[in-house]
Amino acid sequence: MIIRLKKSKPLIYIIAFITAVIYLAWRGMFTLPWGESLFAVVFGIALWISEIISYFTAVILIWNKKKAKKIEKPEVEERLFPAVDVFIATHNETVDLLLKTVNAATRMEYPDKKLVHIYLCDDSNRVEVKDLAAKFSIGYIGLENNQHAKSGNLNNALAKSSSPLVATFDADMIPYSNFLLETVPYYVQNQLDRQDDEEIKPLGLVQTPQSFYNADLFQYNLFSENTVPNEQDFFSREVNVLNNAQEAAIYTGSNTVILRQAIVDAGGFPTATITEDFELGILINSKGYTSISTTEPMASGLTPTDIPSVIKQRVRWGRGVVQSVKNLQLLTNKDLTIKQKLVFLNSYLYWWSFLRRLIYIAAPILFTVFNIMVVKANFWQLLIFWLPSYYFLHLAMQDLSSDIRTQRWGEVQETIIAPYLVIPVLLQALGIKEKKFKVTDKTSNQSRKDLLYIIPHALMLVLAVYGLVSFNYGKFGSELFYSSIISFWLLTHIFNLTFSVLFFLGRPMHRQTERFAYQNNVTITCFNQTFVLKTKDISEKGMLIVSEHPFYFPDKDLKVEIEKNGYQATLSGSVARVFHYQEEWFYGLILQPNTEEDYLNYLQVIHDGFNQSLPQFRDVWITPLERFLINLEKRIFIRRLKEEEVKKAPVIAMKKRVAIKNHEFIFHEFDFQYITAQTNRTLRIGESFTWKFGGIHLRLEAEKVLTENKYKLKVKNLHKIVHHPAFIKEIKQWVREKEADNVCDDFAI
């Protein structure tokens, strides 16, 4: 039974803490395998320490959540908004990618836009990037022979600018138009408050959540892009927001506004680490500044879409955090409060969770497969000491399982990455640094070689399954009961490892550009007729529009006009696909901007705001088991359907009896250009006749024999009648009509 009453939560936390202390003390004093092999002893101690750290990090998260405070954007006078320097850091990113970020940055709203100074900070000194800056009339700060990666680039930009506030963006992070309006007021209010009370600490950093407009690999490869948020959302929109309670939100490198003086006091962007953002945030706190994180995304970028890039990114983050904690001598740093140290220590310990995850997986496998005992305890001892601790900690952690991520889903993600992070983090802790700074490639493609990453997970899965079967083989009744705890852990790891295998099996990517779920008015013009419809989703290459009624549009030469938040774009469109779904007609259009201004405006229509196609919260009605079954269903049990023939016009199914020239026809299918007809007479190819209805003369010509007495008839005067009110009315009537009863498909007269 799960205890949910708010009044019971303090009691749950107290019991969880007491049972955890008792369990960990018992584990250390009575269960370590001292009489076994050296390997067993070392592993047993490592397992015990892992449990201690896991409980400790859980306590920090619970404590942080209980201290959480809500922050609200202050309302301040527009005349008080100070000057801001906007740094867009680039290393080797393409101009096409940079253009989207620069375009959005120049359109950020501000009371006095003359106070916003945008700089392309290019440490490769590329001519094409300088030209891009000139094209948008923004600053360009080039740099040759940069020896300090992103830190060197940004420090160079600091030396050549002067505004009191600095906003930093990665090359692929596209700011929303209201980014500055949502962040700068915190600084203005802080300055006003400090005038009244000098004891108030200066605000050094405002971090907005990291956000992405494409699905990450955890979402995509596990068929969860519609039900689970981005993997990084748990930290950006939960953990880091909780850090506000300690005035120590972590700087994540982009989508951030920083007080210039805070950077100066911290000694600039640190150069002795590969995670300059994390270290700078701590240095700013150590100089007496506070830092906060907001809850709503204010910019979106690209997350890696291939396995090697994801792993390289996490390795860099893990190595960097370990490196920075060592640089700052975190535990003995006198310039940080104990609370702040706990926040940063928790971030440090997170990168050791992957080693702990492998230890947890290995422990029952060692016992059941290799007969190596790493915990000396019988069933009843575990029931007395371990079960209460596990149960009440689970109840306490449920308070942390929000609408963004559950503890179970977090374990799955840890298991997936674990084998590839352990060695780099260990090497960094031993002082063996990575020789070269590696920028994450956001444009890499999938490769068959990526499948090799499945090997460690597949091996662990086989061993876990073998251990479960061999351990329980031949046992019955009470014997199975006594082995249930070992079996429980094996089943837990099998579950996580199976998800990992499914992740590395991958999933083909077909989209060239990401779709955004937006419902906006769109105007389509053709044949001197104008239609106002709704978009279902849009992308850089096209859009999906929806109509209650079927309309015919030519394959090409459509004039498409769309407007959103004052951005207007006119594009040329062509029909790629038309289909009918749930009583609505959907038109997939391929788009080409008419002018560069239209293209830039259209980029804003697409990117100014969070991609609503991707969830910000998990679907609470889908359990991990159901998610697992969904994966199996989509991968194994559903046969891949053959690609249906792509239709470029609405196809209206009907069985309409029509008399033409004293001959009877049955019209089966109409797609505006053709009618499929059945008749008792023999038609000659090229024979023409006219169907008259509602004042409309529809000229038809026999084009092809399909089967006996069944023909494909071409509509010869489509352009003259397609948008005639009487014809449109008739089409709508056909759609509403039910299929005629007692009409046989092989009707013959």
Side-chain angles (χ1 to χ4, degrees):
M1 178 180 176
I2 299 177
I3 303 174
R4 296 183 182 275
L5 297 177
K6 290 185 178 181
K7 292 182 179 180
S8 66
K9 284 184 179 180
L11 180 60
I12 290 174
Y13 297 141
I14 293 171
I15 296 176
F17 179 78
I18 293 173
T19 54
V21 171
I22 293 173
Y23 166 70
L24 292 172
W26 168 75
R27 280 277 287 113
M29 290 188 289
F30 300 105
T31 69
L32 298 180
W34 295 113
E36 303 295 325
S37 66
L38 178 61
F39 173 82
V41 172
V42 172
F43 192 95
I45 294 173
L47 177 60
W48 177 50
I49 293 174
S50 296
E51 291 182 275
I52 293 173
I53 295 174
S54 293
Y55 277 89
F56 177 71
T57 56
V59 168
I60 291 178
L61 283 175
I62 294 171
W63 163 73
N64 226 5
K65 189 158 189 175
K66 295 301 106 182
K67 298 291 183 179
K69 62 178 182 180
K70 185 177 180 180
I71 63 170
E72 294 183 358
K73 186 193 75 171
E75 298 296 330
V76 297
E77 295 181 42
E78 291 186 348
R79 64 180 181 83
L80 298 176
F81 278 62
V84 183
D85 290 332
V86 179
F87 293 164
I88 302 172
T90 175
H91 175 63
N92 58 3
E93 295 82 4
T94 66
V95 171
D96 288 343
L97 184 146
L98 284 170
L99 181 143
K100 300 174 190 177
T101 303
V102 172
N103 179 55
T106 60
R107 296 168 188 252
M108 288 191 295
E109 299 169 0
Y110 210 64
D112 184 356
K113 295 196 70 170
K114 293 179 181 178
L115 296 176
V116 179
H117 312 294
I118 303 169
Y119 298 96
L120 258 177
C121 309
D122 179 25
D123 71 353
S124 302
N125 229 19
R126 292 174 288 169
V127 174
E128 61 270 27
V129 177
K130 186 175 183 180
D131 291 343
L132 178 66
K135 177 179 178 179
F136 282 89
S137 300
I138 64 172
Y140 174 80
I141 302 177
L143 177 63
E144 289 183 352
N145 303 317
N146 182 18
Q147 300 298 314
H148 299 295
K150 187 177 178 181
S151 288
N153 194 3
L154 293 175
N155 283 332
N156 180 55
L158 279 173
K160 298 178 179 179
S161 58
S162 59
S163 296
L165 295 181
V166 174
T168 60
F169 292 98
D170 287 342
D172 64 296
M173 279 290 176
I174 302 174
Y176 304 161
S177 58
N178 59 339
F179 174 84
L180 294 175
L181 297 181
E182 292 294 322
T183 51
V184 171
Y186 291 101
Y187 289 97
V188 177
Q189 188 62 53
N190 179 254
Q191 293 284 349
L192 295 174
D193 292 342
R194 282 174 51 76
Q195 291 176 8
D196 297 331
D197 185 354
E198 294 182 356
E199 296 297 318
I200 295 176
K201 291 183 178 180
L203 177 61
L205 182 148
V206 175
Q207 177 67 59
T208 68
Q210 296 279 46
S211 171
F212 303 92
Y213 59 81
N214 63 322
D216 69 26
L217 274 190
F218 298 98
Q219 293 171 296
Y220 189 81
N221 282 6
L222 296 176
F223 294 90
S224 300
E225 68 269 31
N226 295 320
T227 57
V228 172
N230 185 284
E231 179 257 348
Q232 295 182 49
D233 277 7
F234 178 66
F235 172 78
S236 288
R237 292 172 44 220
E238 286 250 351
V239 175
N240 211 25
V241 173
L242 295 178
N243 292 337
N244 290 338
Q246 320 312 329
E247 300 177 331
I250 291 171
Y251 176 32
T252 57
S254 185
N255 317 345
T256 317
V257 178
I258 315 174
L259 190 69
R260 177 182 289 268
Q261 189 59 48
I263 303 175
V264 173
D265 291 346
F269 286 84
T271 58
T273 178
I274 55 177
T275 50
E276 74 296 323
D277 44 11
F278 176 76
E279 187 163 324
L280 177 62
I282 299 177
L283 287 170
I284 286 175
N285 286 141
S286 70
K287 298 302 178 181
Y289 294 90
T290 65
S291 53
I292 60 174
S293 178
T294 60
T295 58
E296 294 300 320
M298 286 291 116
S300 291
L302 277 170
T303 188
T305 55
D306 68 296
I307 291 169
S309 295
V310 171
I311 292 173
K312 288 177 184 177
Q313 182 188 64
R314 305 312 160 91
V315 167
R316 180 168 61 84
W317 292 349
R319 276 181 171 271
V321 169
V322 171
Q323 186 179 31
S324 292
V325 165
K326 184 177 180 180
N327 291 345
L328 297 169
Q329 299 179 332
L330 180 66
L331 295 180
T332 58
N333 192 320
K334 296 180 181 179
D335 295 324
L336 295 170
T337 67
I338 293 178
K339 293 179 180 180
Q340 289 173 335
K341 289 180 181 180
L342 287 176
V343 168
F344 303 130
L345 178 62
N346 196 41
S347 294
Y348 173 83
L349 292 176
Y350 167 77
W351 295 103
W352 292 98
S353 66
F354 301 98
L355 174 59
R356 300 200 304 271
R357 182 60 46 199
L358 292 184
I359 290 174
Y360 293 150
I361 294 172
I365 291 176
L366 288 174
F367 178 64
T368 57
V369 177
F370 301 102
N371 199 30
I372 298 176
M373 182 177 290
V374 295
V375 177
K376 281 194 169 183
N378 60 39
F379 172 79
W380 293 109
Q381 289 173 327
L382 289 173
L383 205 64
I384 294 171
F385 291 100
W386 167 77
L387 186 59
S389 172
Y390 176 81
Y391 175 73
F392 282 102
L393 181 65
H394 175 73
L395 290 182
M397 290 299 291
Q398 275 197 329
D399 193 34
L400 294 178
S401 294
S402 66
D403 289 339
I404 294 180
R405 192 182 78 168
T406 63
Q407 184 181 0
R408 171 64 62 202
W409 193 244
E411 290 178 4
V412 169
Q413 292 169 338
E414 283 182 9
T415 303
I416 290 171
I417 300 294
Y420 303 102
L421 276 179
V422 169
I423 292 177
V425 170
L426 280 172
L427 291 176
Q428 190 67 50
L430 295 173
I432 303 174
K433 302 178 181 179
E434 199 166 36
K435 294 182 180 180
K436 186 178 179 181
F437 176 80
K438 298 177 181 178
V439 176
T440 303
D441 188 353
K442 305 293 182 68
T443 59
S444 294
N445 296 318
Q446 295 174 325
S447 168
R448 289 188 176 183
K449 293 181 181 179
D450 295 352
L451 195 59
L452 295 175
Y453 287 94
I454 203 174
I455 293 175
H457 299 86
L459 179 60
M460 288 187 289
L461 179 59
V462 169
L463 290 173
V465 171
Y466 175 78
L468 179 67
V469 174
S470 62
F471 183 64
N472 290 286
Y473 183 75
K475 293 180 180 177
F476 300 94
S478 61
E479 291 178 309
L480 289 174
F481 175 71
Y482 290 130
S483 65
S484 59
I485 293 179
I486 299 295
S487 297
F488 167 78
W489 282 115
L490 283 169
L491 285 170
T492 297
H493 299 320
I494 288 171
F495 181 84
N496 295 341
L497 287 166
T498 303
F499 261 117
S500 301
V501 168
L502 293 174
F503 173 87
F504 287 108
L505 285 175
R507 175 183 170 192
M509 287 190 177
H510 302 293
R511 298 181 192 170
Q512 293 182 341
T513 57
E514 200 63 31
R515 292 187 300 183
F516 289 67
Y518 286 137
Q519 294 187 6
N520 295 312
N521 285 337
V522 61
T523 302
I524 310 292
T525 303
C526 63
F527 302 132
N528 296 318
Q529 297 283 331
T530 298
F531 304 86
V532 178
L533 302 174
K534 289 281 188 182
T535 60
K536 183 72 173 178
D537 59 55
I538 58 178
S539 72
E540 292 179 22
K541 299 293 186 181
M543 65 174 58
L544 187 67
I545 59 177
V546 60
S547 171
E548 294 181 358
H549 308 292
F551 294 108
Y552 174 75
F553 299 124
D555 290 353
K556 56 184 179 179
D557 298 328
L558 297 177
K559 181 181 178 182
V560 182
E561 297 173 285
I562 188 169
E563 185 273 336
K564 175 191 168 189
N565 296 339
Y567 307 117
Q568 297 180 347
T570 302
L571 312 101
S572 296
S574 59
V575 178
R577 185 186 181 196
V578 179
F579 61 94
H580 188 228
Y581 179 68
Q582 293 185 347
E583 300 183 355
E584 290 182 314
W585 298 87
F586 294 84
Y587 297 78
L589 304 183
I590 298 173
L591 300 177
Q592 183 66 41
N594 291 338
T595 66
E596 185 173 40
E597 182 181 358
D598 285 320
Y599 175 61
L600 298 178
N601 284 340
Y602 187 56
L603 286 178
Q604 281 299 102
V605 169
I606 297 170
H607 290 288
D608 190 17
F610 182 77
N611 185 355
Q612 298 300 323
S613 297
L614 300 174
Q616 288 189 275
F617 303 98
R618 66 185 175 88
D619 189 334
V620 297
W621 298 105
I622 298 180
T623 66
L625 179 59
E626 289 172 325
R627 204 174 303 284
F628 175 75
L629 295 175
I630 289 171
N631 266 268
L632 292 182
E633 181 183 30
K634 290 186 175 181
R635 293 174 184 271
I636 301 174
F637 297 111
I638 292 183
R639 295 181 179 180
R640 292 195 173 186
L641 299 176
K642 294 182 179 180
E643 287 288 332
E644 295 181 357
E645 182 183 356
V646 175
K647 304 290 186 180
K648 293 190 176 183
V651 178
I652 301 169
M654 58 183 179
K655 289 184 179 178
K656 191 173 188 67
R657 190 188 300 267
V658 176
I660 302 176
K661 292 184 179 180
N662 299 320
H663 292 282
E664 288 190 315
F665 291 81
I666 291 184
F667 291 156
H668 289 280
E669 193 174 80
F670 175 71
D671 68 358
F672 288 83
Q673 299 181 78
Y674 297 95
I675 290 180
T676 302
Q678 196 167 1
T679 180
N680 65 334
R681 61 174 289 195
T682 301
L683 300 181
R684 299 186 314 274
I685 300 302
E687 181 178 354
S688 62
F689 41 91
T690 301
W691 175 22
K692 300 177 182 179
F693 58 88
I696 298 296
H697 291 192
L698 192 65
R699 291 180 54 213
L700 303 172
E701 181 181 284
E703 182 173 281
K704 183 178 180 181
V705 179
L706 299 177
T707 60
E708 184 179 359
N709 296 331
K710 197 168 186 179
Y711 299 86
K712 184 177 182 180
L713 309 180
K714 183 175 180 61
V715 180
K716 298 293 290 182
N717 61 335
L718 177 64
H719 291 179
K720 292 183 179 181
I721 57 99
V722 68
H723 295 305
H724 192 286
F727 182 70
I728 293 174
K729 181 179 179 181
E730 186 71 15
I731 293 296
K732 293 177 180 179
Q733 180 61 29
W734 293 350
V735 173
R736 287 193 295 266
E737 287 178 350
K738 296 181 180 179
E739 292 184 354
D741 294 332
N742 303 320
V743 177
C744 183
D745 284 340
D746 57 351
F747 172 81
I749 299 175

